[in-house]
Amino acid sequence: MSSPVGTETSRTSTADTAASTSTPDPAPAPWYVRNQWYVAAYGAEVGREPFSRTVCGEPVLLWRTEAGAVTAMSDRCVHRRFPLSQQPSHLVGDQLVCGYHGFTYGADGVCVAVPGQRKVPRTARLTSYPVAERDAFVWVWIGDREAADEALIPRAPWLADPGYTTVSGREPLAARYGLLVDNLLDLSHETYLHGGYIGTPEVAETPITTEVDEAAGIVRVSRHMDDAACPPFYAESTGVRGRITRWQDIEYHAPCLYLLHSRIAPAGTPPPAADGSDPDAFHVEVVYAITPETEHSTHDFWAVARDFAPGDQGVTDFLHDNNRTVVLQDVVALDVLERAVAAEAGAYQELSINIDTGGLAARRILDRMRTAGAGA
C-alpha cells in the first residue's frame, strides 16, 4: 500500500534538512599506511650510481654522497618531470644534474642551478625523504617529515650481527602487500606449497597460539613441534637427520617487518635454559621487509641469518638457493591470487579458521593504521 502524500512529503523534508546540515564524509583511508618507515633497499645496493625504487606509489631516487651518506629524494625533476634516474642524468660531486634540461640539485633536494638564468626559483626543490640505515636495510619515511622518528624503526639485528651468516634477496611481487602478510602469518601453507623444501605434515597439523599487541601493532604467532620430520632445508644445512624439535615463533611488526625465529634440534633436545642459552639447537632468523610498491605490487625483501656453520660456503649457497626457490613459489601463488581477487565482481565472503587468527589480527591493525594515517 502506498504511503499518504503528507507522510511522504514529511520524510522528504527531513532528509533534505539532514543533507543540508551534515558534515562531509571523511577522506577514505589510503591503500597503504602513511607516516611509517619502509625498507627501500639493502644498504649494499646503494652507491654512487643513482637508482629509483617506487615505495607506496612514490618514485624514490637513492644514492650515496661522497662521504657515504644515503640520500633519498623524488625521482622527478621539478621542471618537466623527467626521471632523474634516467641517463644522461648524472652526479657531479654531490650535485645531481637532470639529463633533460640541466636543473641541478644538492643532496638535500634543493635546486642550486637552472639553465638560462642566475636566479633559482624558491619552489625549485625535490621532495626529500627522511632516510636511515639499520640492520643492512635502508629505510625511508613515507608521510609527514616532522613525524619521522628513527626510534620507530623495527629492528632485525641478526642481519648485522657478526655471529650470524646471512643470505638475502629481493623479489618483485605482482600482488598487493596484504596478500604477502596473510601468507607469512599462516605457515600451514608450507606443508602444501613448499613440500620438499621446508614443508612437512606437522606444520599444518600443529595448532598455533596467537598474541596481539594492538597498541604496538605487533602480532605474534607460535607453532612448536616437538616431534616432526626434518625437511630438506634444515637436514642439508644443519646435518640433523631423523625426527626434530622445530619451533616457529613469528613477530609481525605492522605494517612492514616480519621476523620468524626458527629453532631446530634433534627430537628430545632440552628446551632453552632460563637464561636464554640454547647450545644444542640450531637457530635461523628469517626476515621479510614487506614494502608496498603500488596498490597491486610489492617489494619482497627476504633474508635468512643462521648461527651455525659460519664459514661453510656450501651451506650459504644452499640456503640462498633453496630459500629463493621457496620465495618464488610464494610469488607465483600470490601473483595468481592477486589476479583472482582483482577479477571478482563484488564482495566475497572468505571462510576463516583457527590458523587465520594471526592474519586477521594483522588486517585489523593495518585497517586501523591506514585510517589513522588518513586522519593525519
Side-chain angles (χ1 to χ4, degrees), residues 37-370:
W37 292 99
Y38 291 95
V39 171
Y42 288 105
E45 291 184 271
V46 185
R48 289 288 290 162
E49 185 69 29
F51 72 95
S52 184
R53 186 154 289 157
T54 300
V55 178
C56 297
E58 301 187 22
V60 180
L61 188 74
L62 299 162
W63 51 279
R64 288 190 187 272
T65 65
E66 291 182 326
V70 177
T71 184
M73 58 185 63
S74 174
D75 185 30
R76 297 290 185 270
C77 181
V78 298
H79 178 230
R80 289 295 180 265
R81 312 302 295 153
F82 189 76
L84 297 165
S85 58
Q86 180 68 42
Q87 292 184 347
S89 300
H90 61 281
L91 288 174
V92 176
D94 284 342
Q95 294 186 343
L96 179 66
V97 182
C98 177
Y100 191 17
H101 291 103
F103 276 61
T104 301
Y105 303 90
D108 57 0
V110 176
C111 187
V112 296
V114 300
Q117 64 186 60
R118 291 186 177 182
K119 185 176 180 180
V120 177
R122 287 181 297 174
T123 57
R125 60 178 62 219
L126 303 171
T127 298
S128 63
Y129 299 88
V131 62
E133 289 193 75
R134 295 287 188 279
D135 308 323
F137 290 132
V138 172
W139 296 81
V140 297
W141 177 265
I142 301 297
D144 302 326
R145 287 187 61 89
E146 57 272 17
D149 180 355
E150 294 185 13
L152 300 175
I153 297 174
R155 304 302 299 269
W158 314 277
L159 304 188
D161 186 334
Y164 282 78
T165 302
T166 302
V167 295
S168 61
R170 180 184 64 87
E171 306 302 333
L173 179 63
R176 65 197 71 185
Y177 74 102
L179 294 182
L180 182 55
V181 175
D182 278 350
N183 170 280
L184 293 173
L185 281 168
D186 174 16
L187 294 182
S188 67
H189 78 275
E190 289 182 352
T191 299
Y192 308 99
L193 189 59
H194 304 310
Y197 291 92
I198 59 176
T200 67
E202 294 82 7
V203 180
E205 293 168 358
T206 304
I208 62 171
T209 61
T210 303
E211 297 179 6
V212 181
D213 186 337
E214 295 278 357
I218 299 174
V219 179
R220 295 180 174 88
V221 179
S222 293
R223 177 184 278 109
H224 288 186
M225 297 160 273
D226 293 329
D227 183 12
C230 188
F233 187 85
Y234 291 123
E236 297 301 323
S237 59
T238 66
V240 174
R241 306 294 175 178
R243 307 293 289 182
I244 62 170
T245 293
R246 182 180 181 187
W247 291 5
Q248 296 175 323
D249 294 308
I250 295 168
E251 290 180 53
Y252 171 60
H253 297 253
C256 56
L257 191 70
Y258 171 96
L259 311 173
L260 169 60
H261 313 294
S262 294
R263 178 182 184 268
I264 307 96
T269 299
D275 63 2
S277 60
D278 194 20
D280 298 321
F282 301 85
H283 303 91
V284 175
E285 302 291 344
V286 181
V287 179
Y288 283 84
I290 306 167
T291 301
E293 180 185 34
T294 68
E295 189 170 1
H296 300 286
S297 62
T298 305
H299 300 294
D300 183 354
F301 294 89
W302 59 267
V304 177
R306 70 182 192 272
D307 68 353
F308 56 91
D312 193 324
Q313 188 61 42
V315 171
T316 297
D317 293 342
F318 174 83
L319 288 177
H320 175 275
D321 295 346
N322 275 256
N323 198 74
R324 184 168 188 266
T325 296
V326 168
V327 171
L328 290 175
Q329 288 173 333
D330 282 334
V331 166
V332 170
L334 294 178
D335 286 356
V336 169
L337 182 56
E338 171 66 33
R339 293 193 294 272
V341 171
E344 291 173 353
Y348 178 80
Q349 182 62 49
E350 290 182 321
L351 172 65
S352 296
I353 57 177
N354 289 341
I355 60 174
D356 301 307
T357 54
L360 294 174
R363 291 184 186 184
R364 183 172 65 249
I365 290 171
L366 288 171
D367 285 343
R368 174 175 55 77
M369 296 175 78
R370 281 191 289 264

